[in-house]
Amino acid sequence: MTLRAILAGTGSALPRTRVSNEELARRVDTSDEWIVERTGIRFRHIAEPDETTATLAAAAAKEALAAAGLEPSDIGLIIVATATPDNTFPASATKVQALLGAPDCIAFDVAAVCSGFLYAISVADSMLRTGAAKHALIIGSETFSRILDWEDRTTCVLFGDGAGAVVLSAEEVADDRGILATRLHAEGQYCDMLYVDGGPSTTGTVGHVRMQGREVFRHAVTNLAAVLGEVLADVGLSATDIDWVVPHQANKRIIDATAKKLGLPAERVVLTVDQHANTSAASVPLALDLAVRDGRIRRGDLVVLEAMGGGFTWGAAVLRV
Ligand code: ACO
């Protein structure tokens, strides 16, 4: 028997308001044609003032708890991956804990931008396997609309808001179920290629997203293909063993190019970027929840998660559902 972190449930939450490319083109100098051709994005959800990173996270967490058949009181660890917390502090994870009515547990945020969920999964996997908790809520939640420069068409058309959550449970298993391997990377020398031009310790303001799109694109395809190869090699598997890839939903062209590099057919890649745009740390758990709920991802499937974001940071995880 082996102690592993098992995927016990998934959930997600999207803001009420959905904005199409055509609607966006009425207030930004862009077009549906340009956005679809360069990114594959057609819609994004944008949070209303009463919808925040913590409220979206709590809504996604409730769904994941229900899917796992657990109560908030069962949870020993809450990690929220976000670059857009409700406040500089306390951690959004503690706000989620309060919104769920969960009693004393471990709760903290992870900041690795678009790869935040992969970082959070990896940390939770280690903590569950060393006995820090029995059940963990891992949430990616973002309100990127609040840090977009709506005058900058090169960035504001790319992002959306939302949250996705999973419950991971520590279980002794006799088979290969659960998280089998994770890999994380960071290369801080590229931190000025994708960043926010503000912060509490510099400008004292929240700031806006700034990006060198072409450079990000180039690094993303190289890094994601490499980390997928690494994590599969860690468990002695190859691309042909994968049932589903759930990639970070930044850009359809990045996803397609990465899959092509690995020789993965498009039918095995979960794609939501057309509906949600780039929801940063929320994109992987949102896409995972969608594919679990519509019956594509089933018990026994080998699933690979991957993401890359500002820093640069990137990572991948392989799990048997
Ligand atoms: N609408 C219309 N035209 C636009 C827009 C827009 N929204 N944005 C830029 N343009 C114009 C530019 O002004 C430029 O015009 P010009 O030729 O007259 O100067 C032209 O389109 C081409 O601009 P580029 O920036 O060279 O376009 P590119 O083909 O590189 O596409 C894009 C830009 C979509 C951002 C691409 O570089 C990309 O996908 N990069 C990856 C970025 C990404 O996904 N980041 C997310 C965060 S990181 C991550 O999650 C992996």
Side-chain angles (χ1 to χ4, degrees), residues 30 34 38 114 153 194 211 213-214 216 248 250-251 278 308:
T30 189
W34 192 96
R38 307 283 174 131
C114 298
R153 67 178 182 170
L194 176 54
M211 179 177 71
R214 288 205 165 192
V216 174
H248 171 46
N251 182 311
N278 182 349
M308 144 122 184

Side-chain angles (χ1 to χ4, degrees), residues 90-105:
S92 296
T94 60
K95 293 189 88 169
V96 171
Q97 180 192 16
L99 287 167
L100 294 176
D104 181 10
C105 69

Side-chain angles (χ1 to χ4, degrees), residues 273-290:
V273 67
D274 55 332
Q275 298 298 314
H276 303 156
N278 182 349
T279 57
S280 184
S283 94
V284 170
L286 246 171
L288 178 66
D289 181 53
L290 210 88

Side-chain angles (χ1 to χ4, degrees), residues 220-256:
V221 176
T222 307
N223 291 341
L224 290 171
V227 77
L228 282 171
E230 286 167 17
V231 84
L232 286 170
D234 286 345
V235 290
L237 296 171
S238 67
T240 51
D241 297 307
I242 300 173
D243 292 303
W244 291 102
V245 179
V246 185
H248 171 46
Q249 309 285 325
N251 182 311
K252 187 171 182 302
R253 289 192 301 150
I254 294 178
I255 294 171
D256 289 347

Side-chain angles (χ1 to χ4, degrees), residues 2-315:
T2 312
L3 183 65
R4 282 222 198 85
I6 304 293
L7 182 68
T10 65
S12 61
L14 289 162
R16 295 186 294 278
T17 304
R18 190 169 87 141
V19 178
S20 68
N21 290 344
E22 286 90 350
E23 288 169 281
L24 203 59
R26 278 182 223 131
R27 52 183 175 128
V28 179
D29 179 18
T30 189
S31 66
D32 175 53
E33 194 188 5
W34 192 96
I35 300 172
V36 172
E37 188 191 311
R38 307 283 174 131
T39 71
I41 295 165
R42 293 179 188 278
F43 298 95
R44 73 283 295 140
H45 289 250
I46 302 289
E48 297 290 342
D50 65 319
E51 294 170 313
T52 71
T53 290
T55 66
L56 292 167
K62 279 181 191 163
E63 276 198 9
L65 281 170
L70 295 172
E71 298 296 327
S73 55
D74 295 318
I75 295 298
L77 167 66
I78 302 173
I79 307 180
V80 175
T82 188
T84 49
D86 282 22
N87 304 83
T88 303
F89 77 84
S92 296
T94 60
K95 293 189 88 169
V96 171
Q97 180 192 16
L99 287 167
L100 294 176
D104 181 10
C105 69
I106 306 166
F108 61 94
D109 289 0
V110 161
V113 211
C114 298
S115 31
F117 186 74
L118 269 301
Y119 269 72
I121 281 277
S122 183
V123 171
D125 176 43
S126 300
M127 291 181 75
L128 288 170
R129 283 187 295 110
T130 51
K134 165 88 177 125
H135 303 288
L137 257 174
I138 317 304
I139 308 162
S141 186
E142 302 278 16
T143 44
F144 250 59
S145 61
R146 307 250 158 86
I147 55 165
L148 294 175
D149 175 353
W150 290 98
E151 303 292 314
D152 176 10
R153 67 178 182 170
T154 67
T155 52
C156 74
V157 303
L158 303 175
F159 295 91
D161 301 333
V166 300
V167 173
L168 294 179
S169 299
E171 261 181 48
E172 291 283 353
V173 289
D175 53 16
D176 66 346
R177 235 165 23 109
I179 296 182
L180 303 175
T182 64
R183 279 276 191 145
L184 301 175
H185 291 277
E187 279 186 341
Q189 70 266 35
Y190 297 116
C191 61
D192 56 359
M193 290 197 174
L194 176 54
Y195 67 104
V196 165
D197 61 2
S201 184
T202 50
T203 58
T205 62
V206 172
H208 292 119
V209 175
R210 305 293 174 210
M211 179 177 71
Q212 295 179 36
R214 288 205 165 192
E215 285 304 307
V216 174
F217 193 105
R218 197 169 58 80
H219 283 272
V221 176
T222 307
N223 291 341
L224 290 171
V227 77
L228 282 171
E230 286 167 17
V231 84
L232 286 170
D234 286 345
V235 290
L237 296 171
S238 67
T240 51
D241 297 307
I242 300 173
D243 292 303
W244 291 102
V245 179
V246 185
H248 171 46
Q249 309 285 325
N251 182 311
K252 187 171 182 302
R253 289 192 301 150
I254 294 178
I255 294 171
D256 289 347
T258 308
K260 197 171 165 202
K261 230 175 167 178
L262 285 165
L264 277 162
E267 311 83 72
R268 284 195 268 142
V269 180
V270 177
L271 205 70
T272 58
V273 67
D274 55 332
Q275 298 298 314
H276 303 156
N278 182 349
T279 57
S280 184
S283 94
V284 170
L286 246 171
L288 178 66
D289 181 53
L290 210 88
V292 166
R293 280 175 196 271
D294 69 19
R296 274 179 287 174
I297 295 180
R298 295 182 200 172
R299 195 71 177 280
D301 282 352
L302 190 77
V303 177
V304 176
L305 317 176
E306 50 96 323
M308 144 122 184
F312 292 136
T313 55
W314 68 102

